[in-house]
């Protein structure tokens, strides 16, 4: 008879990693927040998405410092969001984005998520020192 018990301290299998579920929940939450018009849900979904991407890449040994990656993702979110906001408000028209609609709300959500992600990563980094 084979022993099917788990060994103490054994590594989890790839199927037991939480990251794919969190990526999906983050993206779905951000879009639901935008569709319903509830900005905090959209921002929270994007923050979960950024943290999950950093976690996936750290688990796969692509990055050594996931907090630094999350901070860079936050900065990228803020920059892209600012571009969407200035185009959506008509301040700087961008020809490539002209046929798209709803860019202002998406841009505001991206800026908020970028600031929240970069700030949280900065606080975590200070706490680790």
């Amino acid at each position: 008879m084979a022993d099917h018990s788990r060994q103490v301290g054994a590594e989890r299998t790839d199927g037991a990693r939480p990251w794919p579920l969190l990526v999906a929940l983050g993206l779905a939450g951000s879009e639901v927040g935008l569709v319903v018009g509830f900005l905090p849900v959209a921002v929270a979904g994007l923050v979960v998405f950024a943290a999950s991407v950093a976690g996936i890449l750290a688990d796969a040994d692509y990055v050594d410092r996931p907090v630094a990656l999350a901070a860079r993702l936050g900065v990228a979110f803020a920059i892209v969001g600012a571009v969407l906001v200035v185009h959506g408000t008509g301040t700087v028209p961008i020809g490539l984005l002209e046929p798209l609609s709803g860019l202002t709300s998406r841009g505001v959500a991206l800026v908020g998520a970028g600031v929240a992600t970069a700030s949280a990563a900065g606080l975590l980094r200070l706490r680790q020192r």
Side-chain angles (χ1 to χ4, degrees):
M1 186 175 262
D3 182 18
H4 295 289
S5 63
R6 292 184 166 237
Q7 297 175 357
V8 176
E11 286 288 320
R12 295 188 318 185
T13 63
D14 286 340
R17 304 279 186 206
W19 304 121
L21 176 65
L22 291 175
V23 167
L25 287 175
L27 286 176
S30 68
E31 284 303 313
V32 166
L34 289 170
V35 168
V36 174
F38 196 50
L39 189 65
V41 173
V43 170
L46 287 168
V47 171
V48 168
F49 173 72
S52 300
V53 168
I56 285 172
L57 294 176
D59 272 354
D61 290 330
Y62 286 121
V63 294
D64 293 329
R65 298 184 340 231
V67 174
L69 176 65
R72 287 192 292 272
L73 284 171
V75 170
F77 280 179
I79 291 169
V80 171
V83 168
L84 293 179
V85 168
V86 297
H87 172 73
T89 57
T91 307
V92 178
I94 301 170
L96 183 64
L97 300 177
E98 284 301 324
L100 303 176
S101 64
L103 295 181
T104 305
S105 61
R106 282 176 169 73
V108 170
L110 275 170
V111 169
V115 169
T117 302
S119 300
L123 289 174
L124 281 173
R125 189 142 187 199
L126 284 175
R127 193 168 187 199
Q128 288 175 351
R129 289 184 183 179

